[in-house]
Amino acid sequence: MLLEVQDLNVYYGAIHALQGISFSINQGEIVTLIGANGAGKSTTLNTISGILRPRSGKVIFKDRDITLTPAEEIVRLGICQSPEGRKIFATLTVMENLEMGAFTQTDKNEINRSLERVFRSFPRLKERQNQLGGTLSGGEQQMLAIGRALMSHPQLLLLDEPSMGLSPILVEEIFNIIQEINAQGTSILLVEQNAQMALSVAHRGYVLETGRIVLSGDSTDLMNNPQVAKAYLGAH
């Protein structure tokens, strides 16, 4: 097992944001967390990546307890997050943004290999490598955010709302790239409002409601579940 989250409880002040959630990701999987706004999806990712500290529970990565490990060290261990809202460095060039993603890497050859991989996945970033991040379109900024995360050569990539604010054509393009990244050997934990797209690319999924996991299963079963279809897939 690559990642195991055990009975995680996270609070914002008095608000109990994650209420004893447990789930796992196997090597090579795409696992998705779906749920409404405020269900606790981003909180889950931020806790795994060390940005938030849980009140109780554990995060185990490759049999190592990383619950209290600093965020920078978690990147070094092989987990990297592409955050909600992209959060690229608008005043830096595309290339400088990508270089920032490689801050934990010391091997020049490894950095160059990562860069080649990012440019293969996102040819548009290669074309725009000297352009300022802030001048890119929304779709290109999303590509840059994912590319920057890939520069740390993660074994587990955390993607927070990659389709947010994108046109349907771009959403399709981003999700095709997510599948390609996974096919190259990177495991992915995907948080996504677009449940239809998320379940179409994921192997398994978990449904979060107000800080609790209420359903889990393989993606096909979840897609065919009337409760999921009604709540998240627009079925009536």
Side-chain angles (χ1 to χ4, degrees), residues 62-134:
K62 297 197 299 186
D63 298 324
R64 172 176 172 169
D65 186 343
I66 62 163
T67 316
L68 301 176
T69 303
E72 181 186 327
E73 185 59 27
I74 287 174
V75 175
R76 289 183 205 282
L77 291 173
I79 300 178
C80 198
Q81 182 170 348
S82 174
E84 182 182 356
R86 299 158 201 150
K87 297 188 173 66
I88 60 152
F89 301 104
T91 58
L92 298 183
T93 65
V94 167
M95 185 59 108
E96 286 166 340
N97 267 275
L98 293 174
E99 286 167 349
M100 292 291 274
F103 80 98
T104 58
Q105 302 290 328
T106 51
D107 182 337
K108 260 286 199 273
N109 293 330
E110 191 59 58
I111 292 170
N112 289 334
R113 275 197 293 274
S114 295
L115 198 56
E116 279 169 28
R117 180 188 178 195
V118 168
F119 285 157
R120 263 200 315 277
S121 295
F122 303 105
R124 233 172 301 175
L125 295 183
K126 188 172 187 178
E127 291 163 20
R128 289 165 170 61
Q129 59 186 288
N130 297 316
Q131 207 171 309
L132 293 181

Side-chain angles (χ1 to χ4, degrees), residues 24-43:
S24 62
I25 301 171
N26 297 313
Q27 184 70 50
E29 277 191 313
I30 300 178
V31 171
T32 186
L33 297 179
I34 59 173
N37 264 337
K41 303 185 302 294
S42 293
T43 302

Side-chain angles (χ1 to χ4, degrees), residues 13-25:
I15 297 162
H16 196 175
L18 293 182
Q19 302 177 28
I21 71 166
S22 299
F23 65 92
S24 62
I25 301 171

